[in-house]
Amino acid sequence: MAGTLKYMVTGASGQLGALAVDELLAKVPAAEVGALVRRAEAAAPLEAKGVTVRVASYDDPAALNAALEGVERLLLVSSSEVGKRAAQHANVIDAARAAGVGFVAYTSILGAEGSPLTVLPGEHVATERALAASGLAYAVLRNGWYTENYTMGVATSLEHGGMIGAAGEGRIASATRADYAAAAAAVLTGELPPSGTIYELAGDDAFTLTDFAAALSELSGKTVGYTNLPPEDYAAALEGAGLPEPVAAMLADSEKGAAQGGLYSDDKTLSRLIGRPTTPWRETLKAAL
Ligand SMILES: NC(=O)c1ccc[n+]([C@@H]2O[C@H](COP(=O)([O-])OP(=O)(O)OC[C@H]3O[C@@H](n4cnc5c(N)ncnc54)[C@H](OP(=O)(O)O)[C@@H]3O)[C@@H](O)[C@H]2O)c1
């Protein structure tokens, strides 16, 4: 696979990756931007934007080696396949090293080490350690929660006149995917930070799920209450609603961690990186109605 690409974004068929491609295109010529997808059929919308698409699964070291040839700066968007991610990211890191990639930015999780969440951070910590051991120049984008994780459920909440969760009075300093994508593009295109730099990224404002339900009630004109459940009961309710057991357990664990402050940070690094305030959660909620 020939040709030099200044920038490459993995997971480019996904929501965050596609936004990161758009943010790069707002800053640099399309000829400098590459997009990695695992399904060839995901290439067309990206090619329509003028970027170079390469195809490789995180599970396929040979394809990754070819796909990362000539890449100078790589945004490694974490895989969505929880449980397989540490090995998949290690494949990407090995391929980046073999290809001589000059810089890797990896999307991790807020607080990674020491987070009270127990399911999601492990694979991110393993990847951060693999990067540190790789000899590659890198930075870690420890993304907080997406506001969209909550706004995607508003139709169901309105239908039921209520929301359930297990985050208690834990505050959630979320931002939109677009905010995190802008930060990734800023780091990738800017003067490179010292290798090993960790950015803890969170929204400028925060909410509890009680706040969220109150705002949803106010903005929709329909009363939506919030019921806080013990994490086991919340997991059982999610399974009852049809979610697979590991997904329900992961979501309940994340809410339990949120109750202990795991999704909160008053670090304003995200707004500093993007040069504007993060998108207020109420604005994202309003737009979702
Ligand atoms: N901070 C948060 O609140 C939050 C929430 C959810 C997830 N995340 C993490 O952040 C990542 C990006 O979020 P998102 O919303 O953009 O997720 P998404 O829309 O599900 O996108 C995930 C991307 O990863 C790609 N992918 C999955 N397995 C792969 C493999 N084996 N090889 C190559 N590519 C693979 C997917 O490709 P396909 O299009 O082919 O599936 C897709 O492009 C997620 O993957 C997850 O690690 C964070």
Side-chain angles (χ1 to χ4, degrees):
M1 210 173 292
T4 299
L5 274 173
K6 181 138 195 198
Y7 304 100
M8 173 67 95
V9 176
T10 76
S13 57
Q15 299 165 90
L16 181 69
L19 289 166
V21 167
D22 291 343
E23 292 288 344
L24 284 174
L25 289 175
K27 290 174 176 285
V28 302
E32 295 184 358
V33 180
L36 187 77
V37 298
R38 66 169 156 179
R39 296 171 291 113
E41 62 272 26
L46 291 156
E47 281 169 348
K49 294 178 182 179
V51 307
T52 300
V53 180
R54 294 180 180 176
V55 181
S57 166
Y58 294 151
D59 295 313
D60 185 342
L64 287 169
N65 284 343
L68 297 188
E69 244 178 61
V71 171
E72 291 177 26
R73 299 182 183 190
L74 176 69
L75 174 62
L76 170 52
V77 172
S78 53
S79 166
S80 48
E81 299 185 314
V82 176
K84 296 184 179 175
R85 299 191 291 182
Q88 292 177 332
H89 300 161
N91 287 340
V92 179
I93 292 165
D94 286 347
R97 192 177 41 200
V101 170
F103 176 76
V104 179
Y106 168 68
T107 63
S108 182
I109 190 169
L110 185 68
E113 279 152 358
S115 169
L117 280 69
T118 67
V119 176
L120 291 177
E123 292 183 298
H124 289 298
V125 171
T127 304
E128 291 187 14
R129 289 186 181 153
L131 278 166
S134 70
L136 288 160
Y138 75 99
V140 178
L141 305 165
R142 285 187 175 167
N143 289 350
W145 240 222
Y146 303 148
T147 308
E148 293 93 331
N149 294 347
Y150 292 98
T151 55
M152 69 190 277
V154 295
T156 311
S157 302
L158 288 169
E159 196 183 309
H160 291 99
M163 281 170 55
I164 57 169
E169 288 306 301
R171 298 177 72 206
I172 298 163
S174 67
T176 59
R177 284 187 180 88
D179 293 334
Y180 295 111
V187 169
L188 223 62
T189 57
E191 188 182 327
L192 292 182
S195 185
T197 296
I198 291 173
Y199 299 96
E200 298 284 357
L201 302 177
D204 291 339
D205 64 343
F207 57 88
T208 65
L209 294 185
T210 305
D211 297 334
F212 191 91
L216 178 54
S217 303
E218 186 193 317
L219 292 169
S220 68
K222 284 185 74 176
T223 302
V224 177
Y226 172 63
T227 305
N228 198 60
L229 298 172
E232 316 74 59
D233 294 1
Y234 180 53
L238 293 177
E239 270 193 78
L243 287 189
E245 188 276 332
V247 177
M250 179 273 286
L251 292 172
D253 177 74
S254 298
E255 293 260 317
K256 186 179 171 192
Q260 297 164 63
L263 300 181
Y264 179 75
S265 167
D266 61 4
D267 192 309
K268 301 290 189 270
T269 302
L270 177 53
S271 49
R272 276 198 295 276
L273 272 180
I274 63 181
R276 58 167 172 80
T278 60
T279 311
W281 63 269
R282 278 179 67 98
E283 198 176 289
T284 309
L285 173 57
K286 204 171 173 183
L289 291 173

